[in-house]
Amino acid sequence: MFGEIHFRNLGRSSVALRKYQLGETVFFEEPLVRSFPPEQYFIELCDKHEIDRMFGVFLIGYAFAEEPKQNWISNQMYAPDESTLDVYTTFRPTIAAFCPDLNQYLAQRYVSHPLHWTPHIEREPLIYTSNILIHMWLIWNTNSHSFNAFFEQMTNDPIVSKDENLDPPYNEVSEEVGGEIGTAIFEVASRVPHSCAPNMSYVVKKQMPAGLRYRCVRRVKIGELLSFSYIESYDIMFRPTSMRRADLMRHKYFFCLCPRCRAEDMTRPLFCPDVHVCKTPQATRRPGQLPVAVRCDVEGWSFMSSHPDMFGSEEDEDWKVEVSLPE
C-alpha cells in the first residue's frame, strides 16, 4: 500500500502507507508501453544512424501505442530540461537523419507485419519529428526499465521468426540477443525516484501476465519515500559520492541529492595535508592491521618521514601495499 506525493524536484513519487519487511512485494505492474521484438533489418537501420538499439526498438512500441498512452507518457513523465543540455547540438543532426528512415519503416511495418505483432498494434504509427524524438529520448533515458523485448505466446500457433513474404522481409533477432535490449515504461514503476541507498529493487516477470515486481531490499517505515537505484553498475554504487553523481549526470542528466549523497562520504579518496588528492597513494601496514602511513604520489615519502607524529614511521618494505583509487 502506497500513496502518491508531488515533489518540486522529483515530480510525482510514491511513499509507503504501511510498514514493509525485507523481501516483501510492494507492487506488481504490467507495462504501459514496451519495446517490440527486434528484427535484423531495423537493428541495421539503428546501427547505420548510430542510434541506441534499445531506444530504437522502444520507439516502435511507442509509435504503435494508443494515443492516450502516448500523451500520458509525453506529458506526465519526468524529462530533464532540454534547454540545459547539449542534446540539440550533439544529438539533433543524428536524429534528423534517422527520422525519415524510421517513419518509412513504421509505415511499411503497419501494412506488412508478422501475425504476432497484430494484437500489439493499437493505431496507425505516430509520425516522428526531431523534437518528438529528442523529447522521447530524454523521457526514455530517465524513466525506462529493462524488460523482455519478445511478445508472450498468446495462442498455440507457432511464431514465425523469419518471414520472407513481408516487405521488408522480417527476420527476428534471437531472444539471446534481442531479449537484452528490450525496455518498457510503466505508469507507477517508472516514476519511482532514484536513491544511492534504495529501499527497493525489481525483477522482471516473463510469464503471463508479464510485468515488474518491486520488492523491498530493507525494512521500510510508514511515510518513507519508495526508491530504487538508477545506477546500473554495482561497482559505481560503492564509489565516492562525486563518482556516483558524475555517473548519474552523464547518463541520466540530474544531480543526485539523495540522503546518502548529502551525508558524510565514507568512500571518498584519501586527502593529503597539502589539500590535494592522492590519485595513487600507497599504504604501509603490517599484514592484517590498519595502515600506519600513507605515501603521497605528489609529495613522496619525504613529507611523511618529516611528520612522524602525523603519519607514524615507515615500516618494513614488505608491508607496503598499493591502494587503487579512482581518477
Side-chain angles (χ1 to χ4, degrees):
M1 183 184 299
F2 55 91
E4 187 177 89
I5 188 169
H6 184 82
F7 293 93
R8 184 178 62 180
N9 296 326
L10 293 176
R12 291 180 175 85
S13 303
S14 299
V15 294
L17 298 182
R18 68 172 179 84
K19 294 180 180 179
Y20 287 93
Q21 301 300 318
L22 173 66
E24 187 175 356
T25 296
V26 180
F27 64 87
F28 171 82
E29 185 179 13
E30 297 181 42
L32 190 65
V33 174
R34 59 180 294 185
S35 300
F36 269 41
E39 59 166 310
Q40 190 62 38
Y41 177 82
F42 186 72
I43 293 299
E44 293 174 356
L45 189 65
C46 291
D47 293 345
K48 170 187 173 183
H49 293 283
E50 299 182 344
I51 296 293
D52 188 327
R53 295 178 177 182
M54 297 179 70
F55 177 52
V57 294
F58 176 80
L59 288 175
I60 303 173
Y62 183 79
F64 288 127
E66 293 177 325
E67 187 173 354
K69 295 179 181 179
Q70 295 175 344
N71 293 335
W72 191 91
I73 290 175
S74 178
N75 297 324
Q76 298 296 324
M77 282 286 148
Y78 166 81
D81 185 0
E82 300 171 11
S83 64
T84 64
L85 305 174
D86 61 353
V87 291
Y88 280 105
T89 57
T90 60
F91 203 35
R92 179 174 286 278
T94 301
I95 287 296
F98 180 56
C99 262
D101 287 348
L102 173 62
N103 289 327
Q104 181 181 5
Y105 166 82
L106 293 171
Q108 291 175 319
R109 273 291 168 255
Y110 179 69
V111 175
S112 179
H113 56 264
L115 291 177
H116 64 291
W117 279 33
T118 301
H120 302 274
I121 295 180
E122 301 171 338
R123 54 160 289 176
E124 293 185 14
L126 171 72
I127 298 177
Y128 284 108
T129 64
S130 296
N131 288 339
I132 292 176
L133 278 184
I134 290 176
H135 183 62
M136 278 309 305
W137 183 77
L138 293 171
I139 289 177
W140 171 85
N141 185 63
T142 306
N143 302 285
S144 66
H145 288 63
S146 297
F147 197 78
N148 185 24
F150 291 86
F151 296 142
E152 298 76 23
Q153 186 74 26
M154 303 292 292
T155 67
N156 293 324
D157 299 330
I159 292 179
V160 179
S161 61
K162 188 173 184 178
D163 194 335
E164 302 292 343
N165 297 321
L166 299 178
D167 183 26
Y170 184 81
N171 186 5
E172 193 169 288
V173 176
S174 66
E175 187 166 357
E176 289 74 15
V177 177
E180 298 178 357
I181 66 174
T183 55
I185 286 181
F186 298 78
E187 185 174 355
V188 176
S190 292
R191 293 190 292 174
V192 174
H194 163 80
S195 175
C196 293
N199 51 30
M200 295 195 304
S201 66
Y202 71 88
V203 293
V204 177
K205 180 178 178 291
K206 295 183 179 181
Q207 295 78 21
M208 291 292 291
L212 287 189
R213 188 181 305 279
Y214 266 92
R215 287 193 174 99
C216 292
V217 296
R218 58 177 173 82
R219 282 188 277 186
V220 178
K221 301 177 183 178
I222 296 176
E224 186 175 346
L225 183 68
L226 299 174
S227 63
F228 86 107
S229 175
Y230 290 12
I231 298 175
E232 297 179 358
S233 170
Y234 284 105
D235 179 62
I236 296 294
M237 281 293 290
F238 295 99
R239 295 289 184 168
T241 299
S242 59
M243 291 192 66
R244 298 195 309 274
R245 282 176 164 172
D247 183 81
L248 289 166
M249 183 61 72
R250 185 182 304 112
H251 296 107
K252 300 297 183 181
Y253 300 111
F254 70 87
F255 185 79
C256 186
L257 292 172
C258 74
R260 181 184 172 192
C261 285
R262 288 185 282 115
E264 181 181 2
D265 187 3
M266 304 303 294
T267 58
R268 65 184 183 276
L270 299 172
F271 286 85
C272 278
D274 281 358
V275 200
H276 58 252
V277 180
C278 292
K279 295 182 180 179
T280 55
Q282 292 180 331
T284 300
R285 63 178 174 84
R286 296 182 178 88
Q289 295 184 4
L290 294 175
V292 295
V294 176
R295 179 177 180 177
C296 173
D297 63 344
V298 180
E299 298 291 344
W301 283 106
S302 59
F303 181 87
M304 295 176 55
S305 60
S306 62
H307 295 76
D309 56 327
M310 184 179 299
F311 290 100
S313 59
E314 183 178 343
E315 301 290 348
D316 192 302
E317 289 292 319
D318 293 336
W319 296 342
K320 286 194 300 182
V321 293
E322 295 288 341
V323 180
S324 299
L325 292 178
E327 293 290 336

